Structure formats: C-alpha cells, structure tokens
C-alpha cells in the first residue's frame, strides 16, 4: 500500500518561499545572456580603461588618467539602461519554459516576479562589484589608491538608481515579449546619456544612473565639469535613493497586479 505524500513536501511545493524561488531563478540566470552580460560588460570596460590609460600616458598618470577614469564610470552608468534590457531579455528566455510549469501551482504568480527581480539584482550587483574591483586594481597599478572609494561608489550607485528601469524592463518582457525590454533599454541608454547631465534629469528615470555617477566621475562624455559646478554636489544622492525606492515599489505593485490577473 502506497504511503500518503509527505505533507511538508506538498506544502513546500504549493507554497515555496521567496528565498527558494530566488535561488532557483538565480541558478537559471547563471547560464546564457544574463551571465554574459554580467561578465562581458565590466571586463570589456576594464580592458578599455587599461588600453586607453597605459598606452596614452607613461605610467598611466596625468590628464589622460584623470579623464579616462571618470569617463569609464560615466560610460558604465550610461550603459545601465541597456544592461537592464539585456538582463530582462535573458531572464524572460530562461524562465519561458519554467513558468509554464510553475504557473500551474497554487501560489501567487507575483512571487515569481519578485524572485526574478531579486535574482537579477543580485547578479547585477555582482557585475558591479567585479567592475569596481577591476578599476580598483587599475588604480593600485597606477599609484592612485585614493580613487578606490570613488570607483566602488561609481560602479554600485548606478545599479541602485537603475532598479526602476529594471522592473519596467521585466514588466515589458511579460507584456510584449522580447521587443519590450530591448526598446526600453535602447531608448533609456540614448536619452539617459543626453539628459543625465542636464538640470531636468529628474523627469526621466533611466537618466538617474547617469546623474548619480557624476559626482564621482566628474566628467561628461565629451568634457569635464568645472570644480564648482552644482552637479558635482553629493546632496543629490539621498534624493535619487528615495525616488528610486519609491518608484521601484510602485512598479513592483503594478507588475505584481498584472502577472496575477493576466490570462495564460
């Protein structure tokens, strides 16, 4: 006579924790496009910095170093909206088959959405730490260890400021499929680069990563700032942090409502 199913197993299957779903989602994202995005972008930018600096000036010192250090952080921030699109696209492709199965279980679909966003945030934070560590090593090799704190701040803060764009790209993938996150990522990168150093940066959330890195990069794409420029003030950081958390929360609520209500 067959034994009755273990009640704890049934409970876990029908009511998995967010931590369990996040670990499963993160494991699926350690293959394919999300992993390549997390590794290729910081490695490519670090190589570009090494080539530009150590071939452009003896020992990597002087104006060439000052310009390219800031420009690397600035370009990292500009690319964040496009990175969110690639992460969301890869995540959508990785979960396409899994969701057909997981949506059949009796737990809220929004939990899968939250796990997806959390897994992407962890992966992207790892990419930012990799980029910061590589830039820090270059700073040590260049004899400028005082810039290491700026390197970590300039690598991590754009990821925080880009969280609303990431949630929007994940939602766009749910609504429109592959085209949604790519369109948002490309438009966010282009307009973020144009708006991020303007006084009206706050009207366009994909420009927030560019704006938040300016006090640490101290440069535009084509020119530097004057030392007394108000855009270099650190007072903008708490403003962007609060705005980011609020907008991310609102977008998560909207996204959760959509995935819970939509027809399969």
């Amino acid at each position: 006579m067959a034994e009755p199913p273990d009640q704890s197993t049934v409970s876990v299957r029908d009511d998995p924790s967010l931590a369990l779903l996040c670990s499963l989602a993160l494991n699926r994202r350690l293959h394919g496009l999300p992993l390549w995005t997390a590794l290729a972008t910081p490695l490519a930018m670090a190589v570009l910095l090494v080539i530009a600096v150590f071939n452009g000036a003896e020992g990597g010192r002087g104006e060439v170093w000052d310009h390219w250090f800031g420009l690397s952080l600035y370009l990292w921030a500009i690319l964040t909206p496009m990175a969110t699109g690639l992460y969301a696209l890869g995540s959508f492709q990785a979960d396409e088959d899994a969701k057909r199965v997981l949506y059949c279980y009796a737990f809220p679909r929004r939990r899968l959405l939250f796990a997806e966003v959390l897994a992407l945030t962890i992966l992207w934070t790892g990419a930012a730490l990799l980029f910061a560590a590589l830039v820090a090593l270059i700073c040590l090799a260049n004899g400028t260890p005082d810039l290491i704190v700026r390197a970590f701040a300039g690598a991590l803060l754009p990821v925080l400021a880009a969280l609303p764009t990431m949630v929007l790209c994940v939602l766009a993938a749910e609504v429109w499929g592959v085209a949604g996150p790519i369109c948002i990522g490309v438009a966010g990168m282009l307009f973020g680069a144009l708006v991020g150093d303007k006084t009206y940066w706050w009207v366009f959330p994909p420009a927030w990563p560019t704006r938040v890195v300016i006090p640490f990069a101290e440069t535009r794409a084509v020119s530097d700032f004057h030392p007394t420029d108000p855009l270099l003030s650190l007072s903008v950081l708490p403003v962007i942090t609060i705005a980011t958390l609020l907008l991310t929360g609102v977008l998560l609520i909207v996204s959760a409502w959509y995935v819970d209500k939509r027809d399969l």
Side-chain angles (χ1 to χ4, degrees):
M1 181 176 178
E3 296 183 359
D6 187 354
Q7 294 298 318
S8 62
T9 303
V10 174
S11 175
V12 169
R13 188 175 67 178
D14 289 342
D15 190 27
S17 67
L18 181 61
L20 175 60
L21 291 175
C22 178
S23 65
L24 294 174
L26 185 59
N27 182 64
R28 290 193 297 274
R29 280 145 191 80
L30 293 179
H31 307 84
L33 187 58
L35 179 62
W36 282 109
T37 304
L39 293 178
T41 304
L43 288 173
M45 295 195 63
V47 169
L48 177 63
L49 178 61
V50 169
I51 294 174
V53 171
F54 291 98
N55 285 339
E58 184 179 356
R61 295 176 174 82
E63 294 183 359
V64 174
W65 164 256
D66 293 336
H67 176 71
W68 277 96
F69 171 80
L71 185 60
S72 296
L73 298 181
Y74 193 75
L75 291 176
W76 170 261
I78 287 176
L79 290 173
T80 52
M82 187 68 241
T84 61
L86 293 176
Y87 279 121
L89 171 60
S91 181
F92 175 76
Q93 293 175 332
D95 273 356
E96 197 168 6
D97 293 330
K99 284 180 180 176
R100 293 193 182 101
V101 177
L102 292 172
Y103 276 0
C104 296
Y105 292 104
F107 63 88
R109 299 176 194 165
R110 61 179 176 271
R111 204 174 301 174
L112 294 173
L113 174 77
F114 296 155
E116 179 179 2
V117 172
L118 185 56
L120 289 178
T121 302
I122 293 172
L123 185 60
W124 199 11
T125 302
L129 288 172
L130 174 61
F131 176 64
L134 292 173
V135 175
L137 288 175
I138 298 171
C139 290
L140 290 175
N142 183 58
T144 52
D146 54 303
L147 296 178
I148 291 178
V149 174
R150 282 174 55 186
F152 274 88
L156 291 170
L157 287 176
V159 174
L160 172 65
L163 286 180
T165 308
M166 173 178 283
V167 177
L168 185 59
C169 286
V170 170
L171 176 59
E174 293 283 346
V175 178
W176 295 300
V178 171
I182 292 300
C183 291
I184 292 175
V186 172
M189 179 181 66
L190 294 177
F191 287 99
L194 295 173
V195 175
D197 58 354
K198 305 298 189 297
T199 56
Y200 48 87
W201 58 268
W202 52 273
V203 303
F204 190 62
W208 295 358
T210 306
R211 177 64 187 89
V212 80
V213 83
I214 286 176
F216 305 100
E218 298 181 353
T219 186
R220 293 183 171 93
V222 295
S223 63
D224 295 332
F225 287 94
H226 190 274
T228 60
D229 196 303
L231 287 176
L232 297 177
S233 173
L234 294 177
S235 62
V236 75
L237 300 184
V239 175
I240 293 180
T241 300
I242 295 173
T244 294
L245 296 178
L246 290 176
L247 184 55
T248 301
V250 170
L251 289 173
L252 281 174
I253 292 172
V254 173
S255 302
W257 175 85
Y258 174 79
V259 297
D260 281 344
K261 296 298 182 181
R262 74 168 182 171
D263 296 327
L264 295 178

